[in-house]
Each structure stands twice: as C-alpha cells, then as structure tokens.
C-alpha cells in the first residue's frame, strides 16, 4: 500500500507501508504516531506546505515505510468478504 505525501515543491512521494492493510488500531503508531517496538521500517523525512493566514509555511516532518511489524494483523484475514465486496465496487466504478 502506498500513501501519497505532498512535498513542498508540489511534488509527491509514495510511501509504501503495511499499515494500510493492517486491521489493528491499538498500536502506538495508530494511537500517537510513535514507532512500534520491533518493527522493520525506513524513516522518510520530507517537507510539506501549509497555508497560515496569507503566508505559506514549510514544515519539516516524517513518516515510515513499515515492512514488518510484530503487531501486524492482515485486514484481508480479518475481513475477507469485505475486501471482495470493496474490490467489486471499485471495479464497477472504474468502468
């Protein structure tokens, strides 16, 4: 799964992570954006633009590409019917 992150220069970076297909919502990353102990992840530093009044402010921030996590629970295993249902809706809408 890839998250598109808007960069300061109006470019985008894909951040691939398993978090988007994980059904667990009680880990430290989902609760408070604090890295999970024992995960394998790559930190990505980037800048974003934010409009504050009449000024554009550049903010330094980061995210992670999580490759392995000891708390990972596949959404596909937890809700297999839902995945098929959503996949069917997407293919109908794409046509």
């Amino acid at each position: 799964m890839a998250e598109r992150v808007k960069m300061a220069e109006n470019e985008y970076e894909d951040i691939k992570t398993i978090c988007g297909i994980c059904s667990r919502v009680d880990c430290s990353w989902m609760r408070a954006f604090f890295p999970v102990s024992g995960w394998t992840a790559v930190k990505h530093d980037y800048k974003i633009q934010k409009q504050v009044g009449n000024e554009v402010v550049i903010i330094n921030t980061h995210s992670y590409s999580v490759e392995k996590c000891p708390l990972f629970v596949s959404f596909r295993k937890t809700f297999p019917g839902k995945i098929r249902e959503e996949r069917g809706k997407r293919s109908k809408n794409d046509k």
Side-chain angles (χ1 to χ4, degrees):
M1 173 141 239
E3 173 189 357
R4 296 212 31 99
V5 178
K6 186 172 183 179
M7 308 300 282
E9 295 79 27
N10 293 325
E11 295 177 1
Y12 289 84
E13 177 180 333
D14 287 333
I15 297 179
K16 294 173 178 56
T17 181
I18 62 173
C19 296
I21 59 168
C22 181
S23 61
R24 183 179 296 275
V25 294
D26 60 347
C27 72
S28 62
W29 183 249
M30 295 305 285
R31 281 192 321 265
F33 298 110
F34 188 79
V36 174
S37 179
W39 75 5
T40 302
V42 177
K43 184 177 179 181
H44 298 275
D45 294 318
Y46 61 95
K47 297 177 182 183
I48 59 173
Q49 293 181 356
K50 184 175 181 179
Q51 187 77 30
V52 178
N54 292 332
E55 287 187 51
V56 174
V57 178
I58 305 296
I59 300 170
N60 293 315
T61 190
H62 66 274
S63 192
Y64 293 89
S65 295
V66 180
E67 299 165 357
K68 293 182 182 178
C69 179
L71 302 178
F72 178 74
V73 177
S74 175
F75 185 81
R76 288 175 166 74
K77 288 182 182 176
T78 309
F79 305 102
K82 189 70 172 170
I83 295 291
R84 283 190 289 276
E85 183 181 309
E86 290 299 319
R87 190 178 296 137
K89 286 180 186 175
R90 261 185 257 136
S91 62
K92 289 176 187 173
N93 292 336
D94 289 342
K95 292 180 181 178

